[in-house]
Amino acid sequence: VSEGTWAPTAGGASVVVLDVNTGDVLAMYSYPAFDPNALNPNNNHPLTAAGDNYLNYVFSSPLKPLLNRATQGEYAPGSLFKLVTIITTLESGVFEPDSTYTCTGVWNGLGNFVRRDWLEGGHGELTLMQGLTASCNPWFYEMGMRTGQKDFELLPHYAREFGFGSKLGIQIAESSGVIPDPDWLWQTMGQEWTLDNSINMAIGQGDVQVTPLQIASLVAAVANGGTVYRPQLVDRIGLIAEEPSVITEPEVLYEPDVSPETLQLVREAMHGVTSNMEIGTAEYRLGSLQMAVAGKTGTAEVGGDRYPHAWFAGFAPYENPEIAIAVMVENGGQGSSVAAPIFRRIVERYYNLPVLD
C-alpha cells in the first residue's frame, strides 16, 4: 500500500462477514476497490493522483482492483487450516483432547530436517486443545505426521467436508482453491505424496490454497454446530411496495461428519485464542473487547522475501454465535497484529460496542 499505514507492505486485503445460521453475506469487501462509474462510457472519470487514466489503472494495475479477493483470491491459509487439522485429529482418533506434547521450539519427527515453532524456545507441555489456542507448530507437525501415517487421505477428506477445494456457489465469480492429495500431486507435478506433504498441509502451507469466503464458511460451520450453508448475497427480489416475488431460503451445502463434541472442543480452544492471557495468540488484541468472541490467527508464509499473509477469522458472540468474520491482508505480516484488530473493529461496530484499543 504505502509507507505510514498500519500495513505498509500489504498489496491488498479482504473481509467477509456471514450469518452463521443462514449463510447470508452480511458484508464483503475487497481492497483495492474501483469506482464502477468509470466503466460507464458516457462518464468522464477524473484522472488518478498519479496522472494516469483511471481506466488504465483499473485494468492494468498490478494491485488488480478488478479481482474480488474475497471470493476469487486464492491464498495459503497458514494456521487457520489448523482448525481442519485438529478436527481431523480428533475425529480419526489419532489423539485425544487431553493428549499432551512437550514443545521445545523445534521438531524433527521424520529425522530429515528441523522444523521450528514460531515461538523461540517453544511452548512447553500443552494438551491437544491448548496446542490450537497457542497455535503451536510442533504439535501440529506431530498431528500431520500421525494422521498421514494412518491415512494420507484424512486431511484432504475433512477439508473437503467443509467445502474447501470447491466453489461454494455464491452468485458471483469465485475460485475453488486447492486441496492437494496424493492423486492431485501425481497428476499435476508427477510426485509421490510423502509424510512431508501431510506435515506441511497440517499447518496450512505447501500446496493448500483457500479463499477468504471459504475460511468464513468454515468458521461459520464450526460456530453453528457443523452446517455449511451456500453463501447468499440476495435476500429477496421484488418491486418496491409490493410483496417480493422471490425470498431466498438458507441452502445446506454440506453437513460434515464431525461430532458435536469435537466442534465444542474447537470452539472452546478458539475462545482461548482471544481470552487466555498465557497462551492465546490474539488475547493481547481482543482480551479487552466488550464481548466474548472466538477466533484463530494465521500468518501464512509465501516464500521469497515477501511478508506473510495476515489472517484472522472468528465468530461472535462466543455464546450463541451470530456472525462469522474472515479478515485477510496480503503480505501484511502477523495475523494477530494486523488482521485481528480489523476483526475487532467489525465486532465493535456491528454490536455498537465501545471502540477501544
Side-chain angles (χ1 to χ4, degrees):
V1 184
S2 64
E3 295 296 331
T5 70
W6 52 273
T9 59
S14 61
V15 167
V16 179
V17 184
L18 300 178
D19 183 322
V20 304
N21 296 309
T22 65
D24 289 348
V25 178
L26 304 179
M28 179 182 290
Y29 188 73
S30 177
Y31 177 87
F34 68 97
D35 186 345
N37 289 314
L39 303 179
N40 182 346
N42 298 315
N43 181 54
N44 293 320
H45 199 281
L47 301 181
T48 63
D52 296 324
N53 180 276
Y54 187 78
L55 279 180
N56 286 338
Y57 159 76
V58 169
F59 289 110
S60 304
S61 171
L63 296 179
K64 300 180 180 179
L66 287 173
L67 177 70
N68 181 4
R69 286 163 162 80
T71 64
Q72 295 174 290
E74 295 178 298
Y75 309 98
S79 291
L80 277 171
F81 196 81
K82 291 174 180 176
L83 297 173
V84 173
T85 302
I86 205 161
I87 287 170
T88 304
T89 301
L90 288 167
E91 289 296 301
S92 62
V94 169
F95 287 111
E96 298 297 323
D98 58 354
S99 299
T100 60
Y101 174 84
T102 300
C103 170
T104 64
V106 297
W107 187 88
N108 190 23
L110 296 183
N112 49 8
F113 63 90
V114 172
R115 291 174 165 87
R116 300 189 181 277
D117 193 17
W118 64 266
L119 180 64
E120 187 174 353
H123 286 89
E125 185 176 85
L126 297 171
T127 67
L128 186 78
M129 304 317 295
Q130 287 174 333
L132 182 64
T133 298
S135 202
C136 172
N137 282 337
W139 224 142
F140 281 85
Y141 297 143
E142 192 75 14
M143 293 182 219
M145 181 183 72
R146 292 284 293 275
T147 56
Q149 287 171 335
K150 185 168 184 176
D151 188 343
F152 284 152
E153 297 288 350
L154 279 172
L155 275 173
H157 167 74
Y158 280 99
R160 294 191 183 101
E161 284 277 285
F162 285 92
F164 291 104
S166 301
K167 295 179 181 180
L168 294 174
I170 195 169
Q171 296 99 332
I172 56 177
E174 66 173 317
S175 300
S176 299
V178 176
I179 294 299
D181 60 18
D183 285 344
W184 178 91
L185 190 63
W186 179 254
Q187 292 170 7
T188 59
M189 301 183 186
Q191 298 175 3
E192 295 280 355
W193 190 276
T194 69
L195 285 174
D196 282 314
N197 297 105
S198 295
I199 291 164
N200 286 337
M201 190 174 191
I203 62 163
Q205 299 286 170
D207 296 307
V208 180
Q209 296 280 286
V210 305
T211 69
L213 179 65
Q214 289 172 334
I215 290 293
S217 182
L218 165 67
V219 170
V222 170
N224 69 30
T227 300
V228 178
Y229 291 99
R230 183 186 302 278
Q232 303 275 13
L233 287 168
V234 178
D235 179 64
R236 61 190 63 200
I237 301 172
L239 298 175
I240 296 175
E242 293 187 10
E243 288 296 315
S245 57
V246 176
I247 297 178
T248 302
E249 298 291 338
E251 182 179 345
V252 176
L253 286 182
Y254 307 99
E255 292 184 285
D257 186 16
V258 177
S259 71
E261 293 78 14
T262 289
L263 292 174
Q264 178 59 24
L265 287 168
V266 173
R267 287 191 293 268
E268 290 171 2
M270 292 174 70
H271 181 229
V273 170
T274 69
S275 63
N276 188 314
M277 295 182 67
E278 295 181 355
I279 60 173
T281 54
E283 189 280 332
Y284 79 106
R285 291 294 192 188
L286 301 171
S288 61
L289 183 63
Q290 302 298 291
M291 173 182 282
V293 297
K296 182 71 191 76
T297 52
T299 303
E301 300 298 328
V302 293
D305 58 357
R306 294 176 297 168
Y307 278 76
H309 297 325
W311 286 95
F312 190 88
F315 60 86
Y318 170 56
E319 302 288 350
N320 302 312
E322 295 174 341
I323 61 173
I325 304 167
V327 178
M328 194 278 182
V329 183
E330 294 177 7
N331 308 118
Q334 296 293 320
S336 60
S337 61
V338 174
I342 301 173
F343 170 91
R344 177 178 181 136
R345 286 293 185 263
I346 293 170
V347 172
E348 288 171 337
R349 296 296 174 84
Y350 186 86
Y351 288 103
N352 293 315
L353 301 174
V355 177
L356 305 172
D357 292 325

